[in-house]
Amino acid sequence: MPELLDPFEPDDRIERALAESRSHLLGNIPQPGLGSVSARADAVRRRRRLFTAAGGTALAVLTITGVRLASAPAEPQPGPAAPNNYTMNTTLTSHTSTWAGEGIEVLAPDRPTLNVPGSLYDVEFADDRHGYALAADCRALPTCTLTFARSDDGGDEWQTLAAPIATATPETLPDLVVLNGTELVLGGSWHSPDSGRTWAATPVDDAPLAAIPANGRLFVAGDGLRVRLAGAGGRAAKLTTVPAGLTVRWAAAGPARDGAWWITGTSDGKPQIAVSRDAGRTWLTTTLSVLNGDIGNIRIATGKDQIYAVVTGRATIDGTHQAGSPILGLFRSTDNGQTFALFEGFPPAAAEDTVPLPDGRVLMAVDTDPGTWWVAASGQQGGSKITALPQVSRVHRTGAGYVAFGVWGMDWAAFSPDGMSWRRLGLR
């Protein structure tokens, strides 16, 4: 018998059918496994969340500001962004909701919000006021439409700008690198000297380097460790002083508070950490104890008095490989990185970056369903879940603090300069 329709209600059968088709399609997209070089594991997890969000609907608000794009030899330039009819919701009050637990608070101001199509996947803060964000709308798979936004007031208000990369696939979503606060590199191939107002193609890489120049940014490339150079049009050059035998899988984008540069990887199959205190000219290496599983990545988090190394990968239990990206080991150093000891009682998984708190504790997002916060006290073994805080999917370190994604189990993000106080961004 055909479905009877209420004459006073809209016919939504087509929309429901499309939504079911999208859900079926997204549910059958294969996810890449943990490979021999698995530094991309965090990016894969981020894209998987975009797939999940692709079936939803979002409205973009604010008027898109047109920008001038410089010439590009490799691909056609996008035209000026066309203005749209989206409007800002200004009916909200100044009320702020607060979630608090274990001395950590998450604030959610009730304010106008910029809703962009799709989901946020990269947010970077150059300082406590200037932030940049990328969102991807992957509803028309295999193509994702990208949105670039900027904030000049600490993440309260945002405006969208045209970007030279308008579309990508889930496997080629471009990252965003902030160099001198207002100098940006998008996807490694486009450079903006003025906070995204104008763009030009990045020049050919420079000659190899033996030291990291001021305001440089490290990243791992297919041919080894590279430095993105500030004030050079977005150029990148290979760093030639990497310790012999170390296969680099992760590098801190910038230096720690004391100026030290940290990189990690494997040597002879064992997890290894290297630190340089002279801008990459020389390195001190430390080999961690052998772990029970295949090593995927090793991330360093530097606090005031303690340094943490989080090793993730694929665990082996009773000879059987488990799911990828659990924590294989959480190590801690109390002697400025000279030695590391295994920290017992770590959580089952970690989503991207760990946050050393000012009071000596360590905070992280645990990649479970739903995602939760986990904290461990300084000088104590083990840790605990913070049930009073909202859900979270992952935490990402930026140049000026940390950004939490998937807060409240949705597309909200929150920023914190120190990991203690988080404030919801006016963007989702």
Side-chain angles (χ1 to χ4, degrees):
M1 180 177 179
E3 181 180 354
L4 296 179
L5 299 179
D6 187 332
F8 298 100
E9 295 291 335
D11 184 358
D12 64 348
R13 290 177 297 175
I14 295 178
E15 287 77 6
R16 284 186 282 127
L18 289 174
E20 293 173 358
S21 299
R22 282 195 300 268
S23 299
H24 176 75
L25 172 63
L26 300 179
N28 286 279
I29 295 177
Q31 298 302 320
L34 182 67
S36 58
V37 180
S38 55
R40 298 177 58 203
D42 297 318
V44 171
R45 182 188 292 113
R46 191 168 60 213
R47 293 171 189 133
R48 184 164 64 246
R49 292 192 179 98
L50 287 175
F51 294 155
T52 303
T57 301
L59 296 178
V61 300
L62 291 180
T63 300
I64 296 179
T65 304
V67 300
R68 175 174 58 84
L69 297 176
S71 59
E75 57 182 288
Q77 300 179 42
N84 55 44
N85 296 321
Y86 299 131
T87 58
M88 173 71 83
N89 178 5
T90 59
T91 62
L92 303 178
T93 69
S94 58
H95 175 72
T96 296
S97 300
T98 303
W99 286 255
E102 300 291 341
I104 300 165
E105 64 178 10
V106 181
L107 306 178
D110 190 5
R111 64 189 173 199
T113 301
L114 172 63
N115 292 321
V116 295
S119 298
L120 294 174
Y121 73 89
D122 194 3
V123 177
E124 305 289 338
F125 273 85
D127 51 45
D128 60 356
R129 295 192 60 80
H130 298 92
Y132 307 92
L134 286 170
D137 183 0
C138 299
R139 288 175 293 182
L141 286 170
T143 299
C144 299
T145 301
L146 305 181
T147 301
F148 170 66
R150 184 186 70 210
S151 173
D152 296 324
D153 63 357
D156 285 347
E157 295 184 4
W158 296 76
Q159 68 173 153
T160 54
L161 297 175
I165 303 176
T167 61
T169 66
E171 292 75 22
T172 61
L173 292 177
D175 62 344
L176 184 65
V177 176
V178 181
L179 294 172
N180 282 330
T182 59
E183 187 179 1
L184 312 177
V185 176
L186 180 62
S189 57
W190 291 89
H191 172 262
S192 173
D194 51 11
S195 301
R197 294 179 179 87
T198 62
W199 297 87
T202 55
V204 177
D205 291 352
D206 274 346
L209 296 172
I212 306 168
N215 296 317
R217 290 291 180 265
L218 288 182
F219 66 98
V220 180
D223 61 348
L225 192 62
R226 286 185 167 268
V227 184
R228 187 73 63 188
L229 304 173
R235 287 184 176 90
K238 186 175 181 179
L239 189 66
T240 60
T241 57
V242 177
L246 175 63
T247 300
V248 182
R249 299 191 178 187
W250 176 88
R257 294 182 182 90
D258 61 355
W261 291 87
W262 293 86
I263 60 176
T264 68
T266 56
S267 180
D268 294 328
K270 299 178 181 179
Q272 193 169 80
I273 297 170
V275 59
S276 175
R277 303 188 186 279
D278 56 4
R281 295 177 179 86
T282 61
W283 297 86
L284 172 67
T285 60
T286 302
T287 300
L288 302 178
S289 58
V290 177
L291 300 171
N292 188 27
D294 297 331
I295 298 168
N297 212 342
I298 309 166
R299 287 179 174 267
I300 299 295
T302 57
K304 180 180 179 182
D305 300 314
Q306 302 183 64
I307 300 170
Y308 293 89
V310 182
V311 184
T312 56
R314 178 180 285 118
T316 302
I317 300 178
D318 297 330
T320 302
H321 286 300
Q322 308 299 307
S325 294
I327 292 182
L328 301 182
L330 172 59
F331 294 82
R332 179 175 57 185
S333 172
T334 58
D335 55 9
N336 206 25
Q338 297 184 50
T339 60
F340 284 83
L342 188 63
F343 188 82
E344 300 293 343
F346 48 81
E352 206 163 330
D353 288 315
T354 300
V355 184
L357 300 176
D359 58 11
R361 295 179 298 167
V362 60
L363 176 73
M364 68 176 68
V366 176
D367 193 11
T368 56
D369 188 15
T372 56
W373 296 94
W374 181 92
V375 67
S378 174
Q380 298 180 7
Q381 295 290 342
S384 59
K385 180 170 63 176
I386 309 177
T387 57
L389 296 184
Q391 295 179 21
V392 62
S393 63
R394 62 184 176 95
V395 173
H396 169 66
R397 179 190 174 190
T398 78
Y402 301 87
V403 174
F405 291 84
V407 187
W408 295 277
M410 297 179 287
D411 288 331
W412 290 110
F415 172 71
S416 174
D418 57 5
M420 296 294 293
S421 180
W422 300 78
R423 184 176 175 87
R424 189 176 70 186
L425 300 180
L427 174 76
R428 62 174 299 187

